[in-house]
RNA sequence: UGGGGUAUAGCCAAGUGGUAAGGCAGCUGGUUUUGGUCCAGCCAUCCGGGGGUUCAAAUCCUCCUACCCCAGCCA
């Protein structure tokens, strides 16, 4: 899976389009990705993006980027900019200019007037609370608004006054006249326009009334000639309304809405509302905090666009929303990084090793490929000196069975260098190990030792050439599988205490030239990414742990108890 | 209790009347100067449950159960 883009899995939407084509309905496929600019995009949006852009690409069609900007109170230009960047970064390009539902406000207004003229819409003066009471409940029908039978002339006059700014926020709304007894609550005279004296990021102060989602979305699709309007399952109940507008308005085309299940992943949340809360509460440092499942957070963490696309292909598209194991996301990530990331060595928890049979001051410049299977990625130089650092996890004074690493009297291979044996363990007064005195076998560089097998290989960094590096170790934000499934416990209660720990590590010298966002596999440790903002080449090295390597040894240890 | 949906392995997911794809995870071995990668093999007599139709059912009918969404002037 690492090299060729994964073959896109089949899904019911693709099948539907294929069937439509076989049936001779040769319409051009035009989809759209319609985010509201009220927050950052997350992994769930990535699924929708891959679907919409993927479908368009596969069938030789177009995919528009359209901001569903009908609620200026919650939206901003900053979110628009971030969303555009995320879509591009994921590897997609929309057809034509970026579009805005607000581009269609004038047309929408005219259509609302059409509805009034046809006796299908009216201005209602019920306040929010009354409106709720008149709406009825899930099991009881609603009752007609006392304003329902106003004359067309009066409705027209009132609606124009609404637009003119004659009324304060919330004073009146324009509603469709459908059926207050409909079992589907969305059909109980839904709101078309509400009064909001609020500057809009695109239209400025031109409007003080704004159309609702329902009155905007389908018609925007129709204006753009969208053939397949794909959205998530919670809009299924809105489809009759979506169609009602298309059937009662002189729209140029008749798009069809199809719903699919939204993405859920365990150990995280994929709800813009909850992610916003994490940001607002200061739980994370921003929408693009590397712990966030936002696209920009994943990017900063070190995820590749390809890994996200592959993941979306892997999980499929259907209508039976389940919960995807985050392990699948990690799998998609590791498969891509295994192929694309250069290798390097970095010691997280240093312990000093002195090579006793190495002459004082001698430096050997070893060379090692940047990738074990990709010569074209070049080589880097590894200075070998008398004093080195290895990871303290790679040494045990009293090793258990099958511990292939360093232990007193035991031999181990230093990756890309010689085999060494631990001869002596030096401790301080408190009994802490402060140094390992080892001897190297000079006849083992690039070849196996004579007459014996050394199975273990550990990574190391020269103590005299190693570079200090700040390493940010990230883990799941939540410590339970479904942080938001418990109705009685707030999801913030499930936050993990150690989703981030910062350690000072020692990096091999070649890492001095790493650029921000460069990704590496620190051998035997994991995949890391130079921080997009804080990393300064040659000055301040900052690496984010994207994901660890699979750790079979940890698994064995667990089994052994 | 109204309306709309969904149920295939621990997880994701194909399948649309002809006898259960694939992936993740897991388990066995092999290769390996990353306990990584890679390679080989194993992993649903069964498709939420009960009836029924049929030579034949995960696929059709029927009853039942569980779970999800809807009562914002949010999207």
């Amino acid at each position: 899976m690492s090299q060729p883009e994964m073959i896109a899995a089949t899904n019911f939407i693709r099948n539907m389009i294929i069937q439509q084509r076989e049936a001779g309905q040769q319409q051009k496929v035009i989809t759209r990705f319609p985010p509201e600019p009220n927050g950052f995009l997350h992994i769930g949006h990535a699924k929708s993006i891959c679907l919409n852009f993927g479908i368009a690409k596969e069938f030789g069609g177009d995919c528009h980027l359209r901001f569903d900007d009908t609620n200026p109170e919650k939206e901003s230009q900053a979110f628009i900019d971030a969303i555009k960047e995320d879509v591009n970064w994921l590897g997609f390009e929309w057809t034509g200019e970026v579009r805005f539902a607000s581009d269609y406000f004038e047309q929408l207004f005219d259509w609302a007037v059409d509805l009034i003229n046809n006796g299908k819409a009216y201005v209602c003066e019920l306040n929010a609370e009354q409106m709720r009471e008149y709406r009825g409940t899930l099991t009881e029908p609603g009752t007609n608004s006392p304003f329902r039978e106003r004359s067309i002339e009066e409705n027209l006059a009132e609606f124009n006054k609404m637009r003119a700014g004659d009324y304060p926020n919330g004073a009146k709304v324009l509603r469709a006249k459908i059926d207050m007894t409909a079992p589907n609550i969305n059909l109980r005279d839904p709101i078309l326009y509400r009064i909001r004296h609020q500057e809009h990021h695109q239209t400025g102060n031109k409007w003080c009334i704004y159309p609702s989602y329902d009155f905007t979305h389908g018609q925007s699709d129709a204006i753009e000639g969208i053939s397949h309007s794909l959205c998530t399952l919670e809009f299924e109940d809105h489809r009759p309304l979506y169609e009602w507008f298309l059937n009662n308005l002189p729209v140029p085309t008749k798009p069809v809405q199809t719903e699919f299940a939204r993405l859920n992943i365990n150990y995280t949340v994929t709800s813009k509302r909850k992610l916003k809360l994490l940001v607002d509460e200061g739980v994370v440092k921003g929408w693009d905090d590397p712990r966030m499942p936002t696209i920009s957070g994943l990017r900063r963490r070190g995820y590749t666009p390809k890994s996200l696309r592959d993941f979306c292909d892997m999980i499929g598209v259907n209508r039976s929303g389940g919960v995807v194991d985050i392990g699948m996301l990690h799998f998609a990530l590791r498969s891509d990084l295994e192929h694309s990331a250069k290798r390097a060595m970095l010691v997280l928890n240093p312990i000093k090793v002195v090579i006793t049979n190495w002459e004082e001051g001698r430096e050997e410049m070893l060379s090692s490929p940047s990738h074990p299977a990709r010569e074209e990625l070049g080589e880097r130089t590894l200075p070998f000196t008398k004093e080195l650092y290895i990871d303290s996890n790679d040494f045990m004074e009293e090793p258990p069975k099958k511990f292939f690493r360093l232990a007193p009297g035991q031999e181990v291979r230093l990756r890309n260098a010689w085999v060494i044996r631990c001869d002596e363990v030096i401790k301080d007064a408190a009994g802490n190990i402060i140094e390992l005195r080892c001897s190297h076998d000079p006849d083992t560089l690039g070849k196996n030792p004579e007459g014996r097998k050394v199975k273990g290989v550990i990574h190391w960094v020269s103590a005299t050439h190693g570079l200090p590096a700040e390493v940010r170790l990230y883990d799941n934000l939540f410590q339970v599988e479904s942080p938001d499934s418990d109705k009685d416990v707030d999801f913030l209660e499930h936050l993990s205490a150690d989703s981030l720990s910062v350690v000072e590590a020692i990096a091999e010298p070649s890492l001095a030239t790493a650029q921000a966002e460069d990704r590496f596999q620190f051998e035997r440790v994991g995949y890391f990414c130079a921080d997009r903002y804080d990393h300064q080449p040659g000055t301040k090295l900052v690496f984010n742990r994207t994901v660890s390597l699979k750790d079979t040894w940890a698994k064995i240890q667990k089994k052994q108890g």
Side-chain angles (χ1 to χ4, degrees):
Chain A
M1 190 186 91
S2 62
Q3 244 336 25
E5 199 81 21
M6 278 203 357
I7 298 149
T10 184
N11 66 54
F12 78 103
I13 293 173
R14 197 181 314 256
N15 290 160
M16 174 180 75
I17 295 174
I18 292 169
Q19 277 169 21
Q20 288 166 345
R21 304 207 138 192
E22 285 171 350
Q25 299 163 244
Q26 242 338 317
Q27 58 176 339
K28 180 172 180 181
V29 171
I30 305 178
T31 57
R32 103 268 91 115
F33 174 61
E36 185 192 8
N38 65 346
F40 277 48
L41 263 24
H42 56 66
I43 182 83
H45 294 106
K47 174 178 178 179
S48 175
I49 291 168
C50 290
L51 210 215
N52 279 294
F53 284 90
I55 287 278
K57 187 178 179 190
E58 177 177 353
F59 295 98
D62 295 338
C63 182
H64 300 173
L65 172 63
R66 182 177 73 233
F67 287 98
D68 224 332
D69 56 347
T70 57
N71 186 1
E73 289 181 329
K74 295 181 174 173
E75 301 160 4
S76 75
Q77 185 63 42
F79 289 136
I80 290 172
D81 296 338
I83 289 169
K84 282 157 65 178
E85 184 179 11
D86 286 346
V87 172
N88 283 148
W89 178 80
L90 255 188
F92 298 102
E93 283 178 22
W94 48 88
T95 307
E97 295 298 307
V98 171
R99 295 146 211 261
F100 295 88
S102 55
D103 292 343
Y104 314 134
F105 279 178
E106 200 64 56
Q107 173 67 81
L108 256 12
F109 180 86
D110 289 346
W111 278 335
V113 170
D114 281 352
L115 247 25
I116 292 173
N117 279 134
N118 293 324
K120 291 172 180 166
Y122 62 99
V123 172
C124 182
E125 294 172 29
L126 254 25
N127 64 35
E129 192 187 334
Q130 294 169 318
M131 185 94 63
R132 199 181 318 124
E133 284 162 9
Y134 275 81
R135 189 156 36 224
T137 69
L138 293 176
T139 53
E140 296 160 331
T143 34
N144 285 169
S145 161
F147 302 95
R148 204 172 197 256
E149 299 306 331
R150 296 223 253 210
S151 70
I152 291 175
E153 293 66 32
E154 192 183 354
N155 279 319
L156 245 22
E158 286 296 325
F159 189 42
N160 277 117
K161 282 168 108 176
M162 280 170 65
R163 176 177 186 172
D166 291 357
Y167 303 120
N169 287 351
K172 310 190 179 192
V173 294
L174 182 72
R175 303 174 72 178
K177 192 190 286 187
I178 305 182
D179 179 6
M180 288 306 290
T181 68
N184 181 342
I185 293 183
N186 294 123
L187 263 17
R188 319 239 262 231
D189 290 9
I191 289 172
L192 269 33
Y193 271 90
R194 67 279 212 207
I195 299 170
R196 277 295 109 85
H197 290 273
Q198 167 79 41
E199 182 169 308
H200 187 283
H201 48 93
Q202 299 303 308
T203 59
N205 291 304
K206 184 174 182 193
W207 297 88
C208 64
I209 57 172
Y210 291 97
S212 64
Y213 162 83
D214 286 306
F215 191 65
T216 305
H217 202 90
Q219 290 91 300
S220 298
D221 285 342
I223 290 169
E224 295 181 11
I226 301 300
S227 61
H228 300 265
S229 182
L230 312 178
C231 64
T232 43
L233 248 25
E234 64 268 31
F235 292 100
E236 193 159 18
D237 289 341
H238 292 246
R239 190 175 4 141
L241 184 51
Y242 181 101
E243 291 168 347
W244 190 88
F245 289 126
L246 296 185
N247 290 331
N248 285 282
L249 257 13
V251 291
T253 65
K254 290 272 171 71
V256 176
Q257 171 178 308
T258 303
E259 312 83 17
F260 61 93
R262 54 184 300 156
L263 170 64
N264 299 301
I265 302 180
N266 58 15
Y267 294 104
T268 189
V269 292
T270 44
S271 140
K272 224 193 260 180
R273 205 203 105 240
K274 293 193 174 88
L275 294 176
K276 178 171 163 45
L277 205 61
L278 292 174
V279 174
D280 292 346
E281 295 288 307
V283 171
V284 294
K285 297 192 176 83
W287 285 95
D288 63 352
D289 186 294
R291 291 167 290 184
M292 291 283 272
T294 51
I295 293 176
S296 55
L298 294 165
R299 170 181 180 175
R300 194 166 171 197
R301 175 81 166 255
Y303 277 74
T304 60
K306 182 176 189 304
S307 68
L308 262 21
R309 280 185 254 120
D310 286 347
F311 172 71
C312 290
D313 280 340
M314 227 184 322
I315 58 175
V317 178
N318 63 22
R319 323 183 94 239
S320 66
V323 181
V324 176
D325 194 309
I326 191 145
M328 271 210 232
L329 217 206
H330 294 159
F331 171 83
L333 213 212
R334 289 195 186 104
S335 345
D336 186 26
L337 259 16
E338 155 65 24
H339 176 261
S340 62
K342 289 185 175 181
R343 309 294 133 114
M345 292 195 285
L346 174 139
V347 176
L348 242 25
N349 308 295
I351 175 171
K352 186 178 279 186
V353 166
V354 177
I355 309 295
T356 50
N357 59 344
W358 187 271
E359 301 107 83
E360 202 71 50
R362 179 184 168 202
E363 296 191 345
E364 205 66 52
M365 293 299 164
L366 303 174
S367 191
S368 180
S370 294
H371 192 288
R374 298 183 63 195
E375 238 175 78
E376 73 272 23
L377 259 28
E379 305 201 323
R380 85 274 191 191
T381 299
L382 294 170
F384 191 97
T385 51
K386 187 176 181 70
E387 295 199 346
L388 315 167
Y389 287 115
I390 66 167
D391 197 290
S392 56
N393 294 330
D394 288 334
F395 174 81
M396 282 186 97
E397 204 167 8
E398 291 169 30
K401 277 201 174 97
K402 298 216 176 158
F403 183 78
F404 304 138
R405 282 110 98 145
L406 199 60
Q410 205 162 299
E411 279 187 310
V412 77
R413 158 78 63 185
L414 290 180
R415 174 75 169 153
N416 300 123
W418 292 269
V419 167
I420 61 168
R421 184 181 53 236
C422 177
D423 304 310
E424 196 182 346
V425 179
I426 312 291
K427 298 181 182 175
D428 63 13
N432 302 309
I433 299 171
I434 53 170
E435 179 180 313
L436 302 174
R437 299 185 72 79
C438 304
S439 50
H440 80 294
D441 179 342
D443 199 27
T444 54
L445 185 63
K447 59 177 171 179
N448 287 124
E450 303 272 328
R452 60 199 198 278
K453 237 178 256 171
V454 174
K455 188 160 169 68
V457 180
I458 65 174
H459 56 102
W460 56 277
V461 171
S462 160
T464 41
H465 294 269
L467 270 17
E470 176 180 325
V471 174
R472 299 170 180 171
L473 302 171
Y474 293 104
D475 217 323
N476 293 336
L477 250 185
F478 297 95
Q479 48 190 337
V480 297
E481 277 203 39
S482 329
D484 53 2
S485 71
D486 196 330
K487 291 169 191 74
D488 303 319
V489 184
D490 189 277
F491 79 108
L492 293 173
E493 301 286 309
H494 298 300
L495 280 166
S496 166
D498 37 40
S499 58
L500 167 63
S501 58
V502 180
V503 310
E504 273 304 316
I506 314 279
E508 70 167 64
S510 77
L511 256 9
T513 58
Q515 303 297 302
E517 293 206 281
D518 276 356
R519 302 181 182 88
F520 298 91
Q521 182 198 102
F522 293 152
E523 288 190 290
R524 304 207 316 125
V525 180
Y527 293 100
F528 292 77
C529 179
D531 191 79
R532 189 177 172 189
Y533 302 115
D534 301 333
H535 176 87
Q536 306 288 338
T539 311
K540 184 176 191 240
L541 309 185
V542 181
F543 296 104
N544 298 326
R545 181 172 67 193
T546 311
V547 67
S548 59
L549 247 32
K550 268 171 72 174
D551 192 348
T552 307
W553 169 240
K555 204 185 290 176
I556 293 170
Q557 271 183 312
K558 217 172 176 181
K559 263 193 226 168
Q560 289 180 177

